Amino acid sequence: MSSWRSWHRPLVVFSAAMALWALASAVGLAVDDRVLVGAPIWAKPFKFTVSLAAYGLTLAWMLTHLTRGRRTGWWAGNVVVLTSLVEMTVITVQVVRGKRSHFNAATPLDTALFSVMGMTIVVLWAATLAIGILLLRASIADRAAAWAIRGGVLIALVGAGLGFLMAQPTAEQRAAGNLDTADVIGAHSVGVPDGGPSMPLTGWSTTGGDLRIPHFVGMHALQLIPLFLIALVLLAPRIARLRDAGLRLRLVRVVTAGYAGLVALTTWQALRGQPLIHPDAATLIAAGALLAAVAAGVWAALRTAPGSAPPITPAPAEPASDSKEFTA
């Protein structure tokens, strides 16, 4: 793995700032007992800063794998930093004011702040898309690493895109017919109002669907799929079979496909207004089928004899400074 000193520095500094911001939010949770939309008022900035710290650090590492378009990738990383800072500033300002940041149209100021957040999120998503396209075109020597990085970015883009569904008026809001004068437009809950009974820590609804679940699951593919490969690499010295690059590639493919299926499943469940912890028969059957498919894929990957995988075609020659290996 490349030295952290070669990682995208603005993203590394941003991630450190988000870690400090999360610490400040944790202090807010401890000393400020205000509750907003059924949750401690500092819970949102705390969760957002923790998530953004991981997001920024992962992108900073992934950008070291670019073999072309590095300057474009550097600027895209800077855009991620700037837009994320704007978003967190708005969220924190609204917490200080005692107002909700998302879906708030109560006053012209609240509407303007939410509009600014909406624009920054669109730009952030586009910047991440640009990085994803560059990674698709990069010549990454380790094929398992290429799958883990590209799969993680693509699924994260889908997960982030699910956030746009929350900004749309709900069926109940449309039925009320007062969108021009409504104080709230959009919601993360489906079938129930925001702020109802929820799971501890996450705050996800226990009485209806919650689009934050597939949004969260999808976005963190960016970290979890590469971490799965890193775990395989770290275990390779102790487990001889994992030293086979072909086996690691097959396992990463199975996990990537299974993770995409999990995002689809949680999205389907949320859109039907169903709580995560109260699945119906259809959801349980779909989850069982997904689990069986992943288990079968892992079994097939392990069953394939070493060396039976297609030979790895050497990547086109690149300057020595551009070649990236995925080692631990």
Side-chain angles (χ1 to χ4, degrees), residues 268-269 272 274-275 278-285:
W268 179 57
Q269 184 182 21
R272 289 186 296 134
Q274 186 179 112
H278 298 300
D280 63 8
T283 301
L284 289 173
I285 291 171

Side-chain angles (χ1 to χ4, degrees), residues 68-89:
R68 62 185 73 179
R70 288 186 171 183
R71 185 171 181 81
T72 301
W74 189 84
W75 279 109
N78 290 343
V79 170
V80 170
V81 170
L82 179 61
T83 53
S84 298
L85 285 173
V86 171
E87 181 181 11
M88 281 311 308
T89 299

Side-chain angles (χ1 to χ4, degrees), residues 13-53:
V13 174
F14 164 76
S15 296
M18 289 298 100
L20 293 175
W21 209 317
L23 182 61
S25 298
V27 173
L29 282 169
V31 302
D32 190 342
D33 60 0
R34 289 180 296 164
V35 174
L36 183 65
V37 197
I41 199 166
W42 285 96
K44 179 171 288 187
F46 177 76
K47 289 187 287 187
F48 269 63
T49 48
V50 170
S51 180
L52 285 172

Side-chain angles (χ1 to χ4, degrees), residues 106-122:
T107 68
L109 176 59
D110 292 323
T111 302
L113 289 173
F114 183 49
S115 296
V116 168
M117 285 183 60
M119 290 186 288
T120 60
I121 292 169
V122 170

Side-chain angles (χ1 to χ4, degrees), residues 143-177:
R143 295 176 69 194
W147 262 88
I149 291 170
R150 293 164 181 166
V153 171
L154 292 176
I155 295 174
L157 282 166
V158 172
L162 291 172
F164 297 126
L165 294 178
M166 305 182 209
Q168 303 302 312
T170 66
E172 294 78 10
Q173 290 167 354
R174 290 194 182 96

